[in-house]
Amino acid sequence: MTKVIALANQKGGVGKTTTALNLAAGLLRRDQKVLLIDLDPQSNATSGAGITKEEIVFNSYDVLISNRAVKSAIIHRADNFDILPSSTELAGAEIELTKKKDRQKILKRKIAKEKEKYDFVLIDNPPALGLLSLNSLMAADSVLIPVQAEYFALEGLAQLMKTINLVKEHGNSGLTIEGILMTMTTHTKISRQVVSEVEKHFSEDTYHVTIPRNVRLTEAPSFGQSIFDFAGFSSGARAYNKLVKEIISKNGEEQS
Ligand SMILES: Nc1ncnc2c1ncn2[C@@H]1O[C@H](COP(=O)(O)OP(=O)(O)OP(=O)(O)O)[C@@H](O)[C@H]1O
Ligand SMILES: [Mg+2]
């Protein structure tokens, strides 16, 4: 069974892309077949995975707006690892999508067949709750929400939860919370307070593992590498490895 996980948080810079890239890499290391979909015009997941502009023939814009087949845009990055790359053109998609019929469900329809080839489909989203993120939430089985351990983290979360509930009411009733992941945690009092606050409000959904602030995580994508290849013994690698284990065991249980 394929699991489609959307990484979403309308707040920018919270670790969506970092988590998408390293989760993909961690799943691959555990023999899972992964498709990473980059739905952010910033294209950070595409470049962080080591894909250059020259390699891209078609991208997620062509799939959503120009009705290209997903298959024609997919880049085979490594064994068991495919990527549907993004492009800056995608910035125009938010407006162009408004003109389309069934505008929230285009991604769901486009990946319906293709997704069956994979164990996990991960969708990286832009920092907004627009039509691109809505397409992800409609296409997804679950949402993984990275939350940066800093003040105001909870405010954005409430709005995101509202959107998730709306999506559940209007077209994707099976959508679940994969988990809330605290990122860039430090040993400061503020960081600990925010983590325990989020745990208090969302105790069921918050991962036990937290991702510490680790400079290695910021360096790895510029080499097109995951944290496991770039700095396998770093605190970031250890934390993401725990997350991968938690996700595999949770989904294994659900599927069996
Ligand atoms: N655990 C971490 N420790 C240190 N730096 C991190 C960590 N996680 C992410 N970063 C850095 O923080 C910045 C934002 O992270 P990232 O790009 O993953 O967030 P994002 O939510 O995808 O951002 P956007 O909303 O702009 O797409 C990046 O420079 C990234 O390298
Ligand atoms: Mg990002």
Side-chain angles (χ1 to χ4, degrees), residues 16-17 40 42 44 124-125:
K16 293 181 287 294
T17 303
D40 184 354
Q42 299 179 94
N44 295 333
D124 189 28
N125 285 287

Side-chain angles (χ1 to χ4, degrees), residues 58-256:
F58 297 117
N59 56 60
S60 47
Y61 174 88
D62 300 310
V63 169
L64 289 177
I65 306 294
S66 313
N67 204 23
R68 285 271 165 203
V70 169
K71 213 174 169 178
S72 69
I74 279 177
I75 294 176
H76 184 58
R77 175 70 178 85
D79 275 355
N80 289 336
F81 188 24
D82 288 348
I83 297 181
L84 173 56
S86 175
S87 123
T88 48
E89 277 176 281
L90 195 60
E94 287 285 355
I95 290 169
E96 290 175 61
L97 278 169
T98 58
K99 302 175 202 151
K100 300 230 173 219
K101 213 179 74 192
D102 221 10
R103 60 187 78 90
Q104 301 179 352
K105 290 191 181 165
I106 299 177
L107 184 68
K108 183 186 176 76
R109 174 164 54 76
K110 300 290 290 199
I111 66 168
K113 236 203 229 151
E114 206 59 27
K115 72 177 185 186
E116 301 299 334
K117 296 182 190 160
Y118 304 93
D119 298 305
F120 287 90
V121 177
L122 306 178
I123 313 174
D124 189 28
N125 285 287
L129 286 176
L131 277 169
L132 289 169
S133 294
L134 273 179
N135 263 275
S136 287
L137 294 176
M138 284 291 183
D141 299 309
S142 66
V143 201
L144 197 164
I145 308 168
V147 174
Q148 189 178 343
E150 55 154 39
Y151 273 130
F152 306 121
L154 271 168
E155 282 178 26
L157 255 181
Q159 203 198 338
L160 179 56
M161 292 301 178
K162 250 192 223 162
T163 304
I164 290 170
N165 284 329
L166 281 173
V167 168
K168 285 166 78 165
E169 283 166 32
H170 299 280
N172 189 6
S173 58
L175 184 66
T176 62
I177 306 285
E178 185 66 36
I180 296 173
L181 177 68
M182 300 306 301
T183 63
M184 297 181 237
T185 56
T186 64
H187 295 298
T188 60
K189 196 173 163 198
I190 290 176
S191 177
R192 284 199 304 261
Q193 274 175 350
V194 175
V195 172
S196 67
E197 227 7 41
V198 172
E199 281 172 346
K200 200 172 81 192
H201 280 81
F202 303 98
S203 56
E204 294 274 288
D205 291 323
T206 311
Y207 288 113
H208 293 302
V209 55
T210 62
I211 309 296
R213 190 173 276 285
N214 176 210
V215 70
R216 298 306 219 170
L217 287 166
T218 68
E219 295 166 346
S222 53
F223 295 89
Q225 288 184 342
S226 76
I227 193 63
F228 305 111
D229 292 325
F230 182 73
F233 295 103
S234 60
S235 59
R238 284 199 302 273
Y240 273 113
N241 189 43
K242 277 191 199 155
L243 176 71
V244 172
K245 268 199 219 163
E246 216 170 302
I247 288 178
I248 287 191
S249 76
K250 182 180 163 194
N251 285 289
E253 275 166 29
E254 276 173 13
Q255 281 166 19
S256 60

